[in-house]
C-alpha cells in the first residue's frame, strides 16, 4: 500500500472533516486509526492493561482497542514479574495467551515485551544469587520457553530493555541495579538475543530503551555502540525501539526524531516507537492538550516520513489506565473519549496538515 492517500481517497473514506472544528470535540469515529495507518504502511498499537477495569472485561476498553489499533503489546503480563511470579518452576502464561488469541482474532500483530530487563522481575529472582553459568541457563531457559510458547504468533520481541543507564556517561546499568549484569556480565545481552533467535527464527528482535530519541545524546550514542557491537559479533538483532516516554514541551522535534532514526537506519535496523506517551503536569488545560496534540502529531509524522520507521505504539489506550495517569499522557481520556491528541494523530495518518 502507498504511504500517501490521494485527496479523492480521503473523500471516499469520509475523512475530510474528521478533525475538530471550532473547539468542539467531534464524535468518535466508527473507523479507527488502524484503517488510516494501514493506508500509510504504518502499524499503530497500544499497550494493554490486563486488569478488572480494562482487558478483557471492560467492553468499552476492549472495543476501543480493537477499533483503533492493529498492534497489541502486553503492558505487564509477558514480563518476568507476571510469568515467573511464583517461582522458578511455575509458569503463568494464561494472560498472555488470552492477549495473543485476541490479537489473532482481531487482525492485530503482537509485540512481545519483554525478555530481559533489570526491572519487572519477581522478588524471588531479585533476592537470588546465581553463578554465571546458572544465570545463563536460567535466562536461556526463560527465553526458550516464553518465545517458544508464542512462536510464529509474536511479530517482534523486545529482547533486551533499558540496558544503558541514564546520565552523561552513557554507561551500562551497574551490577547492583541489574541482576543480569551482576550474575552474567556484559555478554548477557548477546546471550538473550541468541536465545530469542534460536527459539523463533522468524520473530523480529529489538533492543528497546528510553531517552534515546534525541540525536547524539550520550545515552543514544551508547545504545548505538552497543548495537554496532552486537552486529560485529554476529548477534542477531533487527530493530531498535524508541520508547518515547516524553514530557510535554520536551518532545524532540520532528527533525531531531528523524535524525535519530537515520543513525539506526544506517545500521540496517528497523525503528519502532514502542511506548509513546506525553505527560503533562497538572492542571490539565486546553492549551496543554493542544500542545500535546501537536507533539503527538510530530512523532507520528516523523515515523510516517522515515522509511526505517514502521510502527508507533502508545503506552496505553486511555489516561485512566496509564502508568502516568496523573499526567494525562495518552490519546483517550479516562472516560475513553478521544482527546485533541487523538484527532491530531488521525490527521497525521490521513496525511492532512495540522490545524489544531
Ligand atoms: C510499566 C508499566 O506501564 C507499569 O504498569 C508497571 O508497573 C511498570 O512498568 N518502560 C518499559 C515498560 O519498558 O515495561 C514500563 O511499563 C514503562 C517503562
Amino acid at each position: 500500500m502507498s504511504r500517501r492517500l490521494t485527496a479523492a481517497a480521503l473523500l471516499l473514506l469520509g475523512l475530510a472533516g474528521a478533525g475538530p472544528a471550532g473547539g468542539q470535540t467531534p464524535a468518535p469515529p466508527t473507523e479507527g486509526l488502524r484503517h488510516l495507518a494501514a493506508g500509510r504502511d504504518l502499524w499503530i498499537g497500544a499497550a494493554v492493561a490486563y486488569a478488572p477495569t480494562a482487558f478483557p472485561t471492560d467492553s468499552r476498553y476492549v472495543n476501543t482497542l480493537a477499533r483503533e489499533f492493529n498492534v497489541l503489546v502486553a503492558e505487564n503480563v509477558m514480563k518476568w514479574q507476571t510469568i515467573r511470579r511464583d517461582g522458578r518452576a511455575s509458569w503463568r502464561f494464561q494472560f498472555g495467551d488470552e492477549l495473543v488469541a485476541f490479537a489473532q482474532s482481531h487482525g492485530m500483530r503482537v509485540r512481545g515485551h519483554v525478555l530481559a530487563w533489570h526491572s519487572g522481575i519477581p522478588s524471588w529472582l531479585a533476592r537470588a544469587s546465581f553463578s554465571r553459568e546458572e544465570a545463563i541457563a536460567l535466562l536461556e531457559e526463560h527465553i526458550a520457553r516464553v518465545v517458544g510458547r508464542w512462536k510464529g504468533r509474536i511479530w517482534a520481541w523486545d529482547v533486551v530493555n533499558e540496558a544503558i543507564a541514564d546520565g552523561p556517561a552513557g554507561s551500562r546499568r551497574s551490577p547492583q541495579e541489574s541482576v543480569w549484569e551482576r550474575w552474567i556480565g556484559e555478554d548477557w545481552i548477546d546471550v538473550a538475543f541468541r536465545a530469542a533467535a534460536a527459539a523463533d527464527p522468524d520473530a523480529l528482535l529489538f533492543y528497546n530503551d528510553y531517552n534515546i530519541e534525541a540525536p547524539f545524546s550520550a545515552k543514544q550514542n551508547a545504545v548505538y555502540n552497543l548495537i554496532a557491537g552486537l552486529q560485529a559479533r554476529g548477534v542477531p538483532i533487527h530493530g531498535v525501539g524508541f520508547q518515547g516516554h516524553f514530557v510535554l514541551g520536551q518532545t524532540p522535534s520532528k527533525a531531531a526524531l528523524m535524525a535519530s532514526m537515520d543513525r539506526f537506519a544506517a545500521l540496517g535496523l528497523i525503528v519502532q516507537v514502542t511506548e509513546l506517551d506525553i505527560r503533562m503536569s497538572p492542571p490539565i488545560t486546553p492549551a496543554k492538550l493542544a500542545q500535546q496534540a501537536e507533539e503527538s502529531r510530530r512523532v507520528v509524522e516523523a515515523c510516517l516520513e522515515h522509511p526505517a520507521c514502521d510502527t508507533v505504539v502508545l503506552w496505553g489506550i486511555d489516561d485512566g489506565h496509564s502508568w502516568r495517569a496523573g499526567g494525562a499522557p495518552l490519546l483517550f481520556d479516562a472516560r475513553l473519549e478521544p482527546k485533541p491528541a487523538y484527532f491530531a494523530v488521525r490527521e497525521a495518518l490521513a496525511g492532512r496538515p495540522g490545524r489544531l
Side-chain angles (χ1 to χ4, degrees):
M1 277 178 285
S2 156
R3 278 271 192 191
R4 313 226 171 272
L5 288 178
T6 62
L10 285 177
L11 282 172
L12 275 175
L13 286 167
L15 294 167
Q24 299 291 308
T25 302
T30 50
E31 289 213 314
L33 300 176
R34 61 184 286 178
H35 292 275
L36 296 174
R40 303 290 300 276
D41 279 349
L42 188 91
W43 295 90
I44 184 102
V48 178
Y50 206 110
T53 57
F55 189 91
T57 41
D58 187 286
S59 60
R60 282 201 75 200
Y61 184 92
V62 172
N63 290 342
T64 306
L65 171 66
R67 184 184 70 235
E68 300 292 341
F69 301 102
N70 55 14
V71 175
L72 174 162
V73 185
E75 184 173 359
N76 288 308
V77 300
M78 291 187 187
K79 295 175 179 173
W80 278 75
Q81 68 186 34
T82 300
I83 294 178
R84 310 301 298 283
R85 187 194 67 181
D86 297 331
R88 185 161 184 179
S90 161
W91 302 78
R92 295 162 80 235
F93 285 122
Q94 63 266 36
F95 311 108
D97 283 348
E98 202 168 356
L99 282 175
V100 169
F102 181 89
Q104 282 196 306
S105 62
H106 291 82
M108 306 167 91
R109 291 187 171 184
V110 182
R111 293 195 86 262
H113 179 82
V114 53
L115 298 172
W117 186 26
H118 68 282
S119 185
I121 56 175
S123 51
W124 67 264
L125 186 68
R127 283 196 306 263
S129 167
F130 290 108
S131 70
R132 173 178 156 85
E133 288 66 35
E134 288 169 339
I136 289 174
L138 179 72
L139 185 57
E140 287 180 339
E141 175 198 34
H142 181 84
I143 291 174
R145 188 96 181 253
V146 173
V147 174
R149 175 82 178 190
W150 298 302
K151 183 172 191 278
R153 290 183 290 167
I154 294 210
W155 171 45
W157 270 107
D158 289 330
V159 178
V160 168
N161 203 27
E162 303 178 355
I164 303 297
D166 291 306
S171 47
R172 305 277 289 247
R173 284 187 193 274
S174 69
Q176 290 72 37
E177 197 177 6
S178 163
V179 292
W180 307 118
E181 288 282 345
R182 178 156 83 239
W183 295 331
I184 300 177
E186 280 222 339
D187 63 342
W188 68 271
I189 295 178
D190 299 39
V191 169
F193 275 96
R194 290 191 197 282
D200 187 350
D202 296 326
L204 297 176
L205 307 181
F206 276 71
Y207 176 85
N208 192 49
D209 215 329
Y210 64 94
N211 280 351
I212 59 167
E213 298 84 358
F216 298 100
S217 68
K219 191 167 177 184
Q220 187 190 79
N221 291 342
V223 169
Y224 179 93
N225 292 332
L226 169 67
I227 294 176
L230 293 174
Q231 292 178 324
R233 293 190 295 280
V235 177
I237 178 168
H238 307 103
V240 61
F242 290 4
Q243 289 187 4
H245 291 296
F246 297 127
V247 175
L248 192 72
Q250 294 170 33
T251 303
S253 69
K254 184 160 111 180
L257 289 165
M258 294 183 74
S260 295
M261 291 172 186
D262 280 343
R263 293 192 78 193
F264 292 97
L267 292 177
L269 298 174
I270 305 164
V271 180
Q272 300 189 339
V273 179
T274 52
E275 305 186 13
L276 179 63
D277 58 8
I278 303 176
R279 69 181 187 273
M280 57 189 75
S281 42
I284 313 300
T285 64
K288 288 181 193 170
L289 291 171
Q291 191 182 345
Q292 183 185 54
E294 284 317 308
E295 295 182 13
S296 304
R297 178 202 306 278
R298 184 196 293 176
V299 177
V300 172
E301 284 182 353
C303 188
L304 277 170
E305 291 172 28
H306 200 292
C309 188
D310 67 356
T311 301
V312 176
V313 176
L314 279 298
W315 201 243
I317 299 173
D318 68 293
D319 292 339
H321 292 95
S322 166
W323 73 314
R324 301 281 195 236
L330 294 170
L331 304 186
F332 292 85
D333 69 17
R335 294 171 301 128
L336 282 160
E337 298 294 339
K339 294 162 59 186
Y342 171 86
F343 293 102
V345 167
R346 203 173 166 83
E347 287 191 347
L349 292 173
R352 302 173 68 228
R355 294 188 296 108
L356 288 172

